[in-house]
Amino acid sequence: MPGIRRSDPRGDGVQLINGSVRRRLSVALACGVLVASPVTVRVLSAGATTAPVTVDGNISDWTGQSSGIGGSTQLSGGEFIYQDHIWDDLGADTGAHSQQYGQVENPKGDFRYPTDENRYGNNAADIFQVRFATDHDTLYALIRLNTYKATDSTVVGIGFDTDGNPATGGESWPYDAGFSAAGVDDVVTLWGNGGSITDLSTGQAAALSQVAASTDDNAIEAAIPLAALGDRSTYRVWVASGLWDPTAHTWMQVPVGNPSATAPGGGMPTVTSRAWNVAFRPDETGSYMEEQQAAALAAGDITPFAATLDLNALRSHASVPFRLQPRHFYDVIIDTGFTVAPYTEGTSYAGVPGRFQGVGGSVLAQKFQFYGRYQPYGLYVPSTYDGQTPLPAALVLHGIGGSYSTYNDQPGFLRDMGEGDGTPDEPPMFLITPLARGGSFYADYGEADTLAVLRDAFARLPIDHSRLYLTGYSMGGYGVYRFASLYPDLFAAAVVWAGYTGEFTGSYLTDGELVTGQPSGGNTLPVKGPLGGSNGRADIGDTVDTLANLRWLPLLHMFGTNDEIVPNTGQYAAPRRLAQLGYRSRVDIYPGYEHFSFALVDDWKQARSWLGDQRRMVTPRTVDYDFSDGWTAPGLAEALGLHHGDAWWTHDLTMRDHSDDGLTVARAELTSLGVPGRSVTPVSTTNLGAAPTPHTEQAVSWQLGDALPTGNTLQARLRDVGGVRITLADADLHLCGLTIDLDSDGPVSIVLDGQQTGSQTLSSADASFTSLNPTQALLSVPAAFTGRLTISCS
């Protein structure tokens, strides 16, 4: 059968005789030296019974379903499945303070991969999943890796307690692994297409006859004869991974200092462990879920990280699903379905540069650090979770250098935001934090990643969609403004802490008409400035120019007067613009606070109180949607499934002239008189707040007035808009007798979704009306038009 080794996997000429043969090895083997001194080796082959899987590196016959929860273990269809955390392969805490994933949320582990990314991808020892299945006499193991570019790059060790006695065994694992675990009697070592089982008490190693590796499925499979493990029904098991040295035939040493193309770095003479990743860590902590692992590997003892295998349960094809527990933080692993081009897997410490050149230096530039299709997100499950009752949720966006676990390290955040005050006005809620490919500014790959996270959370959790909130810190603040502008109908309210707005100095707006109310002759772009973007604005889009979209989405922005990273002028540009628009908003200004003060104080009650129990607008009378094709990188919109221009009953908005410049903005304001409404008078107030520290609160609220006139009328003011589709029923409008008060600065096509009866005629020769099908009609306006169009039915 392809992929199964029927003879000694090292190719040393050993033949199988009744399942095993003994011989002394003291010479260099074909793929390297096994050990420095002679050792007794037995070659074992699995039994001939019908196997639940085939050891060929193809994972299609492993059919159990993973929970997708990092650190979780479950049984599914006769398979034991452990889902590991990902991007946690950082080795021991050596005190070297290596910089892998960022300076703000720097992990504890200090190992750094060799610089040959084509071989290691900075991620070659990252365990993705561990699976076991069994038949009568064989245990089958599958180790899936997050990144696997060369079959001989990675080594995996599987330790077994074969006598149930934690006081026996416990010696250092073979092949110079440099660590141990109390109670381990035998260790299976797998290196690509080779492997062996070592009795730690005697040092005898037996080669496994069935081992296969595949870089297509990132898989290492092995068949382990149960006779070699004492043929028990229950085992305690440990799994660890590292880099394989095919020349020395050992776990690769991690030297002190920086890595080279062929050797890793970040080690320390006092740290002997050569493992990078360890499985079975259900209660892990840290910014990349590896703090406990890093401490254990520094000590060279992974004893706490074990699981129990019940072979009788596997043989009976048992399924015991993993269950989320209330008041607990998890990391969830999802398949986003796409990778960062041109890579398919792996990560980069520096990151792949994006379109946004950054402000204040390259540290604050857009970059994508995590390439692969599998990505994590953080999930806090509140105390009121019962698996059924819909609960509110907040999408919580981290800052640059942060991670999906950033807020897990803030006990006050989980307390204040996740649990609220326990009243109906501040109920507990889910907290959802995407990794978003690192420093993506939640654009392009980061935007697609965040949408994939939301889809998974909606499918996995009982979320009350009317109470989905949007929050973010620093770069995450930009993500809030971006997502609020692009998807205003998803969210009920939003909060920003120390957030970048798309403006750096706060002095530049795309169109003077935004501020003055007077036409400026079109969208005039300032000259590109030295701070990145046009005069310091983001190449990926200036959200200050699209804040009209937040008419129905109240927002709180909190910042400090001494912010050393995001200048106050740039931060204040957004709340200033919201106040000019007369939208419900508040800006809290904290004297003396620098950029990280909110996190250091760790008191988020003001933000939670602002969110309260607000509900998402269901059917607005007016839909504002300002947008630009340039908010998505050229060629990525279709590839990533990013589609903008939809909000409530307005769909498929397009620019008249395509632009790759994120600062060229088209604008749509559409009002349905079929939807009842009341007049609004903005009321501005300034108050002094005392908690958590004294600050100023500048707020705009709404005073509701008289009912507004209703009728079968659509009012549309369009600038640089080439097309739009209106769902009439959702806007409480009807095709027959529909009046359209149109103000367009150029040609536009308007698709009307609504049931057609009889024949329709249009009141004006300045436009044409065409029936597309029984439920859609096309209104074409060939030139700039200001006036009234009426559709009559006979």
PDB file of all heavy atoms in Angstrom, residues 504-528:
ATOM      1  N   PHE A 504      -4.108  61.289  10.925  1.00  0.00           N
ATOM      2  CA  PHE A 504      -3.001  61.349  11.875  1.00  0.00           C
ATOM      3  C   PHE A 504      -2.960  62.723  12.541  1.00  0.00           C
ATOM      4  O   PHE A 504      -2.837  62.844  13.744  1.00  0.00           O
ATOM      5  CB  PHE A 504      -1.681  61.040  11.176  1.00  0.00           C
ATOM      6  CG  PHE A 504      -0.576  60.699  12.135  1.00  0.00           C
ATOM      7  CD1 PHE A 504      -0.693  59.606  12.974  1.00  0.00           C
ATOM      8  CD2 PHE A 504       0.575  61.462  12.198  1.00  0.00           C
ATOM      9  CE1 PHE A 504       0.322  59.277  13.868  1.00  0.00           C
ATOM     10  CE2 PHE A 504       1.596  61.144  13.080  1.00  0.00           C
ATOM     11  CZ  PHE A 504       1.469  60.055  13.923  1.00  0.00           C
ATOM     12  N   THR A 505      -3.085  63.771  11.739  1.00  0.00           N
ATOM     13  CA  THR A 505      -3.071  65.123  12.303  1.00  0.00           C
ATOM     14  C   THR A 505      -4.471  65.652  12.556  1.00  0.00           C
ATOM     15  O   THR A 505      -4.655  66.595  13.318  1.00  0.00           O
ATOM     16  CB  THR A 505      -2.351  66.093  11.363  1.00  0.00           C
ATOM     17  OG1 THR A 505      -3.103  66.193  10.149  1.00  0.00           O
ATOM     18  CG2 THR A 505      -0.953  65.597  11.034  1.00  0.00           C
ATOM     19  N   GLY A 506      -5.469  65.084  11.886  1.00  0.00           N
ATOM     20  CA  GLY A 506      -6.834  65.539  12.084  1.00  0.00           C
ATOM     21  C   GLY A 506      -7.194  66.772  11.297  1.00  0.00           C
ATOM     22  O   GLY A 506      -8.258  67.349  11.478  1.00  0.00           O
ATOM     23  N   SER A 507      -6.313  67.209  10.396  1.00  0.00           N
ATOM     24  CA  SER A 507      -6.523  68.468   9.686  1.00  0.00           C
ATOM     25  C   SER A 507      -7.066  68.287   8.280  1.00  0.00           C
ATOM     26  O   SER A 507      -7.387  69.266   7.620  1.00  0.00           O
ATOM     27  CB  SER A 507      -5.197  69.239   9.602  1.00  0.00           C
ATOM     28  OG  SER A 507      -4.670  69.436  10.896  1.00  0.00           O
ATOM     29  N   TYR A 508      -7.155  67.050   7.796  1.00  0.00           N
ATOM     30  CA  TYR A 508      -7.432  66.843   6.386  1.00  0.00           C
ATOM     31  C   TYR A 508      -8.710  66.039   6.200  1.00  0.00           C
ATOM     32  O   TYR A 508      -8.912  65.012   6.828  1.00  0.00           O
ATOM     33  CB  TYR A 508      -6.263  66.113   5.717  1.00  0.00           C
ATOM     34  CG  TYR A 508      -4.942  66.778   5.986  1.00  0.00           C
ATOM     35  CD1 TYR A 508      -4.108  66.305   6.977  1.00  0.00           C
ATOM     36  CD2 TYR A 508      -4.561  67.902   5.259  1.00  0.00           C
ATOM     37  CE1 TYR A 508      -2.901  66.934   7.249  1.00  0.00           C
ATOM     38  CE2 TYR A 508      -3.358  68.528   5.529  1.00  0.00           C
ATOM     39  CZ  TYR A 508      -2.539  68.045   6.517  1.00  0.00           C
ATOM     40  OH  TYR A 508      -1.354  68.664   6.779  1.00  0.00           O
ATOM     41  N   LEU A 509      -9.569  66.535   5.320  1.00  0.00           N
ATOM     42  CA  LEU A 509     -10.778  65.822   4.940  1.00  0.00           C
ATOM     43  C   LEU A 509     -10.796  65.709   3.427  1.00  0.00           C
ATOM     44  O   LEU A 509     -10.320  66.597   2.721  1.00  0.00           O
ATOM     45  CB  LEU A 509     -12.033  66.543   5.431  1.00  0.00           C
ATOM     46  CG  LEU A 509     -12.203  66.599   6.958  1.00  0.00           C
ATOM     47  CD1 LEU A 509     -13.347  67.510   7.311  1.00  0.00           C
ATOM     48  CD2 LEU A 509     -12.464  65.204   7.500  1.00  0.00           C
ATOM     49  N   THR A 510     -11.377  64.613   2.916  1.00  0.00           N
ATOM     50  CA  THR A 510     -11.388  64.405   1.478  1.00  0.00           C
ATOM     51  C   THR A 510     -12.145  65.513   0.755  1.00  0.00           C
ATOM     52  O   THR A 510     -11.730  66.004  -0.277  1.00  0.00           O
ATOM     53  CB  THR A 510     -12.036  63.050   1.158  1.00  0.00           C
ATOM     54  OG1 THR A 510     -11.209  62.036   1.721  1.00  0.00           O
ATOM     55  CG2 THR A 510     -12.142  62.831  -0.332  1.00  0.00           C
ATOM     56  N   ASP A 511     -13.265  65.925   1.304  1.00  0.00           N
ATOM     57  CA  ASP A 511     -14.142  66.844   0.589  1.00  0.00           C
ATOM     58  C   ASP A 511     -14.550  67.963   1.536  1.00  0.00           C
ATOM     59  O   ASP A 511     -15.114  67.706   2.596  1.00  0.00           O
ATOM     60  CB  ASP A 511     -15.373  66.091   0.087  1.00  0.00           C
ATOM     61  CG  ASP A 511     -16.152  66.894  -0.952  1.00  0.00           C
ATOM     62  OD1 ASP A 511     -16.101  68.129  -0.885  1.00  0.00           O
ATOM     63  OD2 ASP A 511     -16.795  66.265  -1.801  1.00  0.00           O
ATOM     64  N   GLY A 512     -14.256  69.201   1.161  1.00  0.00           N
ATOM     65  CA  GLY A 512     -14.613  70.326   2.013  1.00  0.00           C
ATOM     66  C   GLY A 512     -16.100  70.416   2.288  1.00  0.00           C
ATOM     67  O   GLY A 512     -16.531  70.998   3.276  1.00  0.00           O
ATOM     68  N   GLU A 513     -16.910  69.842   1.421  1.00  0.00           N
ATOM     69  CA  GLU A 513     -18.353  69.872   1.597  1.00  0.00           C
ATOM     70  C   GLU A 513     -18.765  69.157   2.884  1.00  0.00           C
ATOM     71  O   GLU A 513     -19.805  69.456   3.472  1.00  0.00           O
ATOM     72  CB  GLU A 513     -19.034  69.226   0.397  1.00  0.00           C
ATOM     73  CG  GLU A 513     -20.549  69.307   0.405  1.00  0.00           C
ATOM     74  CD  GLU A 513     -21.153  68.689  -0.835  1.00  0.00           C
ATOM     75  OE1 GLU A 513     -20.384  68.256  -1.714  1.00  0.00           O
ATOM     76  OE2 GLU A 513     -22.386  68.640  -0.920  1.00  0.00           O
ATOM     77  N   LEU A 514     -17.936  68.202   3.344  1.00  0.00           N
ATOM     78  CA  LEU A 514     -18.252  67.494   4.577  1.00  0.00           C
ATOM     79  C   LEU A 514     -18.373  68.452   5.753  1.00  0.00           C
ATOM     80  O   LEU A 514     -19.199  68.280   6.637  1.00  0.00           O
ATOM     81  CB  LEU A 514     -17.166  66.450   4.882  1.00  0.00           C
ATOM     82  CG  LEU A 514     -17.129  65.202   4.007  1.00  0.00           C
ATOM     83  CD1 LEU A 514     -15.901  64.376   4.338  1.00  0.00           C
ATOM     84  CD2 LEU A 514     -18.381  64.375   4.216  1.00  0.00           C
ATOM     85  N   VAL A 515     -17.516  69.470   5.770  1.00  0.00           N
ATOM     86  CA  VAL A 515     -17.479  70.386   6.898  1.00  0.00           C
ATOM     87  C   VAL A 515     -18.301  71.645   6.628  1.00  0.00           C
ATOM     88  O   VAL A 515     -19.074  72.090   7.465  1.00  0.00           O
ATOM     89  CB  VAL A 515     -16.022  70.766   7.228  1.00  0.00           C
ATOM     90  CG1 VAL A 515     -15.977  71.786   8.357  1.00  0.00           C
ATOM     91  CG2 VAL A 515     -15.231  69.526   7.604  1.00  0.00           C
ATOM     92  N   THR A 516     -18.157  72.225   5.432  1.00  0.00           N
ATOM     93  CA  THR A 516     -18.773  73.514   5.146  1.00  0.00           C
ATOM     94  C   THR A 516     -20.208  73.409   4.661  1.00  0.00           C
ATOM     95  O   THR A 516     -20.970  74.370   4.756  1.00  0.00           O
ATOM     96  CB  THR A 516     -17.967  74.260   4.079  1.00  0.00           C
ATOM     97  OG1 THR A 516     -18.049  73.527   2.844  1.00  0.00           O
ATOM     98  CG2 THR A 516     -16.502  74.361   4.476  1.00  0.00           C
ATOM     99  N   GLY A 517     -20.555  72.242   4.109  1.00  0.00           N
ATOM    100  CA  GLY A 517     -21.879  72.101   3.525  1.00  0.00           C
ATOM    101  C   GLY A 517     -21.981  72.689   2.145  1.00  0.00           C
ATOM    102  O   GLY A 517     -23.037  72.635   1.513  1.00  0.00           O
ATOM    103  N   GLN A 518     -20.886  73.273   1.654  1.00  0.00           N
ATOM    104  CA  GLN A 518     -20.889  73.883   0.328  1.00  0.00           C
ATOM    105  C   GLN A 518     -20.158  72.979  -0.662  1.00  0.00           C
ATOM    106  O   GLN A 518     -19.135  72.378  -0.328  1.00  0.00           O
ATOM    107  CB  GLN A 518     -20.192  75.246   0.372  1.00  0.00           C
ATOM    108  CG  GLN A 518     -20.844  76.234   1.320  1.00  0.00           C
ATOM    109  CD  GLN A 518     -22.276  76.530   0.920  1.00  0.00           C
ATOM    110  OE1 GLN A 518     -22.559  76.736  -0.262  1.00  0.00           O
ATOM    111  NE2 GLN A 518     -23.175  76.557   1.897  1.00  0.00           N
ATOM    112  N   PRO A 519     -20.696  72.868  -1.905  1.00  0.00           N
ATOM    113  CA  PRO A 519     -20.025  72.030  -2.911  1.00  0.00           C
ATOM    114  C   PRO A 519     -18.592  72.495  -3.138  1.00  0.00           C
ATOM    115  O   PRO A 519     -18.301  73.686  -3.161  1.00  0.00           O
ATOM    116  CB  PRO A 519     -20.883  72.235  -4.165  1.00  0.00           C
ATOM    117  CG  PRO A 519     -22.205  72.673  -3.639  1.00  0.00           C
ATOM    118  CD  PRO A 519     -21.923  73.477  -2.404  1.00  0.00           C
ATOM    119  N   SER A 520     -17.685  71.521  -3.276  1.00  0.00           N
ATOM    120  CA  SER A 520     -16.279  71.846  -3.474  1.00  0.00           C
ATOM    121  C   SER A 520     -15.818  71.528  -4.887  1.00  0.00           C
ATOM    122  O   SER A 520     -14.639  71.597  -5.185  1.00  0.00           O
ATOM    123  CB  SER A 520     -15.421  71.061  -2.477  1.00  0.00           C
ATOM    124  OG  SER A 520     -15.555  69.667  -2.719  1.00  0.00           O
ATOM    125  N   GLY A 521     -16.765  71.161  -5.747  1.00  0.00           N
ATOM    126  CA  GLY A 521     -16.389  70.840  -7.111  1.00  0.00           C
ATOM    127  C   GLY A 521     -15.897  69.419  -7.272  1.00  0.00           C
ATOM    128  O   GLY A 521     -15.166  69.113  -8.195  1.00  0.00           O
ATOM    129  N   GLY A 522     -16.300  68.527  -6.363  1.00  0.00           N
ATOM    130  CA  GLY A 522     -15.895  67.125  -6.469  1.00  0.00           C
ATOM    131  C   GLY A 522     -14.893  66.755  -5.394  1.00  0.00           C
ATOM    132  O   GLY A 522     -14.543  67.561  -4.529  1.00  0.00           O
ATOM    133  N   ASN A 523     -14.450  65.557  -5.436  1.00  0.00           N
ATOM    134  CA  ASN A 523     -13.500  65.059  -4.442  1.00  0.00           C
ATOM    135  C   ASN A 523     -12.089  65.517  -4.800  1.00  0.00           C
ATOM    136  O   ASN A 523     -11.501  65.042  -5.758  1.00  0.00           O
ATOM    137  CB  ASN A 523     -13.543  63.523  -4.386  1.00  0.00           C
ATOM    138  CG  ASN A 523     -14.858  63.036  -3.831  1.00  0.00           C
ATOM    139  OD1 ASN A 523     -15.530  63.770  -3.125  1.00  0.00           O
ATOM    140  ND2 ASN A 523     -15.214  61.811  -4.157  1.00  0.00           N
ATOM    141  N   THR A 524     -11.550  66.434  -4.040  1.00  0.00           N
ATOM    142  CA  THR A 524     -10.208  66.926  -4.297  1.00  0.00           C
ATOM    143  C   THR A 524      -9.254  66.300  -3.302  1.00  0.00           C
ATOM    144  O   THR A 524      -9.479  66.368  -2.097  1.00  0.00           O
ATOM    145  CB  THR A 524     -10.166  68.457  -4.176  1.00  0.00           C
ATOM    146  OG1 THR A 524     -10.638  68.837  -2.876  1.00  0.00           O
ATOM    147  CG2 THR A 524     -11.044  69.105  -5.232  1.00  0.00           C
ATOM    148  N   LEU A 525      -8.202  65.707  -3.797  1.00  0.00           N
ATOM    149  CA  LEU A 525      -7.268  64.986  -2.950  1.00  0.00           C
ATOM    150  C   LEU A 525      -6.049  65.844  -2.655  1.00  0.00           C
ATOM    151  O   LEU A 525      -5.455  66.404  -3.575  1.00  0.00           O
ATOM    152  CB  LEU A 525      -6.821  63.697  -3.625  1.00  0.00           C
ATOM    153  CG  LEU A 525      -7.932  62.673  -3.871  1.00  0.00           C
ATOM    154  CD1 LEU A 525      -7.369  61.507  -4.666  1.00  0.00           C
ATOM    155  CD2 LEU A 525      -8.506  62.199  -2.559  1.00  0.00           C
ATOM    156  N   PRO A 526      -5.666  65.958  -1.380  1.00  0.00           N
ATOM    157  CA  PRO A 526      -4.430  66.680  -1.079  1.00  0.00           C
ATOM    158  C   PRO A 526      -3.213  65.907  -1.547  1.00  0.00           C
ATOM    159  O   PRO A 526      -3.281  64.715  -1.811  1.00  0.00           O
ATOM    160  CB  PRO A 526      -4.457  66.775   0.460  1.00  0.00           C
ATOM    161  CG  PRO A 526      -5.356  65.666   0.896  1.00  0.00           C
ATOM    162  CD  PRO A 526      -6.366  65.474  -0.201  1.00  0.00           C
ATOM    163  N   VAL A 527      -2.096  66.572  -1.656  1.00  0.00           N
ATOM    164  CA  VAL A 527      -0.856  65.940  -2.104  1.00  0.00           C
ATOM    165  C   VAL A 527      -0.393  64.939  -1.057  1.00  0.00           C
ATOM    166  O   VAL A 527      -0.521  65.164   0.148  1.00  0.00           O
ATOM    167  CB  VAL A 527       0.224  67.008  -2.348  1.00  0.00           C
ATOM    168  CG1 VAL A 527       1.549  66.358  -2.739  1.00  0.00           C
ATOM    169  CG2 VAL A 527      -0.250  67.972  -3.427  1.00  0.00           C
ATOM    170  N   LYS A 528       0.149  63.825  -1.510  1.00  0.00           N
ATOM    171  CA  LYS A 528       0.614  62.786  -0.594  1.00  0.00           C
ATOM    172  C   LYS A 528       1.691  63.357   0.324  1.00  0.00           C
ATOM    173  O   LYS A 528       2.647  63.959  -0.128  1.00  0.00           O
ATOM    174  CB  LYS A 528       1.164  61.597  -1.384  1.00  0.00           C
ATOM    175  CG  LYS A 528       1.384  60.354  -0.547  1.00  0.00           C
ATOM    176  CD  LYS A 528       1.760  59.202  -1.461  1.00  0.00           C
ATOM    177  CE  LYS A 528       1.943  57.921  -0.674  1.00  0.00           C
ATOM    178  NZ  LYS A 528       0.702  57.412  -0.133  1.00  0.00           N
TER     179      LYS A 528
END
